Amino acid sequence: MAKAGFWKSDWFLGVIVTLLMLLASGSSLIQSLERKAYDMGVQSSSRTPSERIAVIAIDDQSIANLGRWPWSRERHAKMTDLLVAAQVKIIGNSVFFSEPQLDPGYAYVTKLIGMVSQTATEGSELTPEMAQIAALLAEAEVALNTDRTLADSYGKAGNVILPLIFELGEARGRPDKALPEFVSRNSLPKVAEGDGAVLPALQIQIPVEVLGSKAIALGHLNSSLDVDGAVRSEPLVIQYFDQFYPSLALMIAAHSLNLGPADTKVSLGSEVRLGKLRIPTDSASRMNTFFYSGSEGRPAFTVDSFYDVLSGKIPASKYAGKIVLIGATAAGVGAPQVTPVSPSMAPVLTLAHTVSSILQEHFFVTPGWGGWASLGAILLVGLYIILLLPRLGAGVGAALTLLLLVILLGTHFGLMVAAGVWIQLMGAASLLVVGHLMLTTKRFLVTERGKEKSELESAESNRMLGLAFQGQGQLDMAFDKFRKCPPDEGLMENLYNLALDYERKRQFNKAEAVFRYVADFNPDFRDVLKRVSRAKQMSETVMLGGSRGQTNGGTMMLGDGDIEKPMLGRYQIEKELGKGAMGVVYLGRDPKINRVVAIKTMALSQEFDEDELVEVKERFFREAETAGRLNHPNIVTMYDAGEEHDLAYIAMEFLKGRDLVPETKPGALLPFNQVISIMARVADALDYAHQNNVVHRDIKPANIMYEPTADQVKVTDFGIARITDSSKTKTGMVLGTPSYMSPEQLAGKKIDGRSDLFSLGVMLYQMCCGQLPFTGESMAQLMFKIANEAAPDIRSINPDLPEKLGAVIDKLLVKDIAQRYQRGAAVAADLRACLA
């Protein structure tokens, strides 16, 4: 499998990217990038242009003042005469005079001169008037022949260099005719064949002979455009059939050094030597020109207006000993060129940069090993992408790639700025960036596919976990897991059921949140919008719990039939059975085993301060666990205890009877025999609990359940009083009923089962005569009597009471705990003896 999938590996992708970049290294895109980097290197380099070079511009101002272009060549002659008089070194005129300039009247003048000459030739003597006309015609001919005027100026100057223009292309034969001598004398005699080549030409345009013959030299004005149309190099030599002609810039530089074609040596594709100057070239014999940066928006060279010099505003003496270049900069005259330092440079300014580069040996060199260096850089980067990058982590890989990119760019700019060497490294830099991005993208896509697969698996896992948590009653955790699943109809079904569970637990605010989550996905899902509204209403009006003063009486049962039956833990609440001091008692059902239970609730958080609550809860579950271990026919069986939203509850055996409170009222007392039978069984239950180290602490009629039909007696609420340890609650209620408390319990002493027997005595007293043994107008008076005064003789209240029963009651109510009954079994025995 690994071998079959090698094409998916990172290294294979690196091989492909490297090969593609090698193939594309010569493409226009990469070469354009190389040129842009070259331009930035040129702009970063700082060198001073030659002060010997000055430019006289045929600018917009000059055309506005001297008239439309082209001008009369007489103006060029006047400019030449001014410069010659100022003793300039060289005049390089980049204006191409390809055709004679003839005034329309010149032809008529020459015809009249011919007629006069013919008359004189035929022997006729010219009259004085004819002689005067002949003189005027001769004067007019001289004035109208501007080519001759300019030629005379060039001849007198002896330092004017004019341009040639070639049509580039491969010549496939011989020229139509030999070039004039004034042109051919400019060809280079010393050209050595080399490994390189030279730009070929198949046509040539020369200046008119009358002007070209008077020029000291001619040089071509052809530009070499790069792949992006910019001018960065100068073709120093062009081959026209079997002859080689220098560029105008090369001839201007040569004659400024008093050299000529004979002093110029060319090694094709290698170098051009101008006297002692060595000019390295590329394989096409082109020089990489150094373009000088100007400052403050001004060009690097002095540029003066043709009109200002011609009119004398700028004295010609300024140019003494200098190389003066004349050319057009006006809009619409000539084609501007794109160069590394300007998007629109006039050709005469390009010429100035080139001449300065030659004379000062300022140029950028691409050495013979430069191509191998470029290829080597690409291969090294390729090896990095193929072998090393796939083994690195994302952070380390990014840092190392960035470092290599900085090294490549730094090498490129460092060589150009410091040494004037141009090595093409942008192909390697492009490979580095593209290769890194490709590998990163591939890893991302693979990771995303893995992530999608993982998310699907995770979604299913979260759904299953949500269902498991929901089944365990951990609804918040279930909701959290469901929200991590992508929403769909199946998930909405799960969430809808979860919201119903929240309703059962009377957590309406959470039910509302879940219903809203479903509605946001699909508002038409079942009756979810109705459920949202109802849950919102219920969350604002219903409080969970069982303390007094709560909304809806503190009950969990609501009259809305659309609301799910509430749940407490795993028990479903069916109806309310009654209310106690601390909570409500409900009829509940365990849905798993269909067992009917009584559920007593206690809102501990509403009865106790926060600093007591933790300790109270701990006591509650500890006592519930202890009481839950009791197994006696006269003790209510406890099945379960729990807590939900600070509502503590105990699930216990459901009894059909009622407590004994009604049977303590005068006029509703039970017969003595029945009372004795009930109390004997309560004593048995207490004895069993005390033997198991469980003290009830709150024996009273309300905690004794009696079902007359089956004559069944059950003691309830074992351990409940122990929860609070007789402390006061926030509502001011003392847990445990003071009327039934023993003296030691009121005194806060450590108590045991004998305290319950005292409470049993109080309850027996009440059920036998219909009144309590101890009463008081205040709590303090009541507690004082319990602790210090003997109870009234019960037989004085109910004379029909058996004497033996009175004795049992008296012994149960003894203040001294040591004189009281010690065990419930003894009480039960004495009571049954009363029956006998």
Side-chain angles (χ1 to χ4, degrees), residues 369-651:
W369 48 266
W372 292 105
S374 300
L375 179 61
I378 291 177
L379 293 176
L380 286 175
V381 171
L383 290 175
Y384 164 71
I385 293 173
I386 295 168
L387 300 178
L388 184 56
L389 185 56
R391 302 172 182 269
L392 301 177
V396 176
L400 187 53
T401 296
L402 181 61
L403 176 62
L404 291 176
L405 184 62
V406 170
I407 291 174
L408 288 172
L409 296 178
T411 302
H412 167 83
F413 291 109
L415 288 174
M416 287 193 71
V417 173
V421 175
W422 178 34
I423 304 297
Q424 298 188 14
L425 297 175
M426 292 306 103
S430 300
L431 172 59
L432 182 63
V433 173
V434 172
H436 187 92
L437 290 177
M438 292 290 287
L439 255 65
T440 302
T441 302
K442 174 182 174 293
R443 288 179 178 178
F444 175 77
L445 293 176
V446 170
T447 302
E448 281 299 300
R449 286 197 295 269
K451 185 179 178 182
E452 289 176 2
K453 182 179 178 181
S454 176
E455 284 179 351
L456 289 175
E457 294 175 352
S458 176
E460 188 59 28
S461 297
N462 284 324
R463 188 193 296 264
M464 298 305 294
L465 284 172
L467 291 172
F469 284 132
Q470 184 180 358
Q472 296 168 9
Q474 301 181 54
L475 305 187
D476 292 342
M477 296 184 70
F479 189 28
D480 181 61
K481 294 300 179 183
F482 284 147
R483 281 183 295 185
K484 293 179 180 178
C485 301
D488 54 32
E489 291 298 321
L491 181 67
M492 295 306 109
E493 190 71 34
N494 297 141
L495 289 168
Y496 188 90
N497 291 331
L498 178 65
L500 295 182
D501 281 352
Y502 272 126
E503 278 193 352
R504 294 185 184 99
K505 289 180 176 290
R506 279 332 189 227
Q507 299 177 35
F508 293 106
N509 57 333
K510 295 184 178 181
E512 178 192 358
V514 179
F515 281 133
R516 284 192 185 279
Y517 191 91
V518 176
D520 289 342
F521 174 75
N522 181 7
D524 297 325
F525 186 85
R526 293 196 183 185
D527 59 344
V528 68
L529 293 179
K530 180 180 177 182
R531 291 281 183 179
V532 168
S533 176
R534 184 182 297 110
K536 184 176 186 299
Q537 179 184 359
M538 298 307 296
S539 66
E540 294 172 351
T541 58
V542 177
M543 296 173 63
L544 178 66
S547 71
R548 298 184 305 266
Q550 285 182 306
T551 305
N552 204 38
T555 183
M556 296 179 65
M557 300 306 300
L558 300 171
D560 193 339
D562 289 331
I563 300 297
E564 294 296 312
K565 287 185 177 180
M567 299 287 290
L568 262 181
R570 61 194 176 104
Y571 302 100
Q572 182 173 294
I573 304 301
E574 300 291 343
K575 66 178 181 178
E576 180 182 323
L577 295 177
K579 295 177 183 177
M582 288 186 64
V584 182
V585 180
Y586 299 100
L587 176 66
R589 185 175 60 86
D590 186 343
K592 292 185 178 180
I593 58 176
N594 203 30
R595 173 192 282 164
V596 176
V597 295
I599 301 176
K600 175 170 284 192
T601 62
M602 287 162 282
L604 299 179
S605 62
Q606 297 178 24
E607 294 293 348
F608 296 94
D609 291 327
E610 189 173 346
D611 56 347
E612 292 182 293
L613 192 57
V614 174
E615 182 185 354
V616 169
K617 286 181 181 180
E618 289 178 355
R619 269 206 304 271
F620 171 79
F621 288 109
R622 187 166 60 248
E623 292 298 321
E625 178 186 358
T626 302
R629 293 198 299 265
L630 299 179
N631 183 15
H632 189 273
N634 298 120
I635 296 177
V636 173
T637 303
M638 289 179 58
Y639 298 127
D640 192 11
E643 178 191 16
E644 196 158 303
H645 291 277
D646 289 333
L647 182 69
Y649 66 88
I650 297 175

Side-chain angles (χ1 to χ4, degrees), residues 147-220:
D147 280 347
R148 187 168 60 206
T149 301
L150 182 56
D152 291 343
S153 293
Y154 284 172
K156 292 176 184 177
N159 64 353
V160 177
I161 301 175
L162 296 177
L164 300 167
I165 296 179
F166 287 101
E167 180 184 344
L168 299 180
E170 194 71 39
R172 296 187 177 181
R174 297 179 179 178
D176 295 334
K177 58 181 179 180
L179 295 175
E181 186 276 336
F182 74 89
V183 177
S184 60
R185 73 187 180 201
N186 292 282
S187 65
L188 302 175
K190 299 178 181 179
V191 177
E193 298 289 339
D195 296 333
V198 68
L199 296 180
L202 49 83
Q203 294 290 339
I204 185 173
Q205 297 183 54
I206 62 177
V208 292
E209 185 172 359
V210 66
L211 299 177
S213 61
K214 297 298 183 179
I216 188 176
L218 303 176
H220 76 79

